[in-house]
């Protein structure tokens, strides 16, 4: 699964658009106050995390996009 397929899976599962942010695929504006995110990691790989009260907390860093997408999907469904 890649980020676009993840977006489709979340939409099919009827997960509210304001519960997540996916870099380059689903970046709602204005940015939701509290949400889970998937974004590229500065050193390579992918970060899955939570944005709450104005601060980001990385939950996990994955070496590949598919694993990161599966992780976010599991957190949201």
């Amino acid at each position: 699964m890649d980020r676009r397929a993840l977006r489709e899976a979340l939409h099919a599962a009827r997960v509210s658009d304001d519960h997540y942010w996916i870099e380059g695929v689903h970046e709602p504006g204005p940015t939701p106050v509290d949400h889970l995110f998937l974004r590229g990691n500065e050193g390579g790989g992918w970060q899955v995390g939570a944005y709450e009260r104005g601060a980001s907390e990385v939950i996990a860093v994955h070496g590949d996009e598919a694993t990161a997408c599966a992780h976010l999907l599991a957190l949201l469904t």
Side-chain angles (χ1 to χ4, degrees):
M1 171 182 299
D2 66 7
R3 289 173 289 154
R4 285 168 186 74
L6 171 61
R7 168 76 171 114
E8 291 173 17
L10 292 170
H11 183 75
R14 298 184 180 205
V15 176
S16 177
D17 284 346
D18 63 351
H19 284 99
Y20 61 95
W21 186 93
I22 303 170
E23 183 177 72
V25 175
H26 178 71
E27 299 178 3
T31 302
V33 176
D34 298 324
H35 62 275
L36 295 177
F37 62 81
L38 172 66
R39 64 186 182 200
N41 190 37
E42 191 173 302
W46 295 90
Q47 296 177 349
V48 173
Y51 182 85
E52 296 179 294
R53 299 181 185 141
S56 295
E57 179 181 344
V58 175
I59 297 168
V61 177
H62 299 282
D64 62 272
E65 184 176 357
T67 304
C69 288
H71 185 187
L72 185 60
L73 180 62
L75 290 174
L76 288 166
T77 58

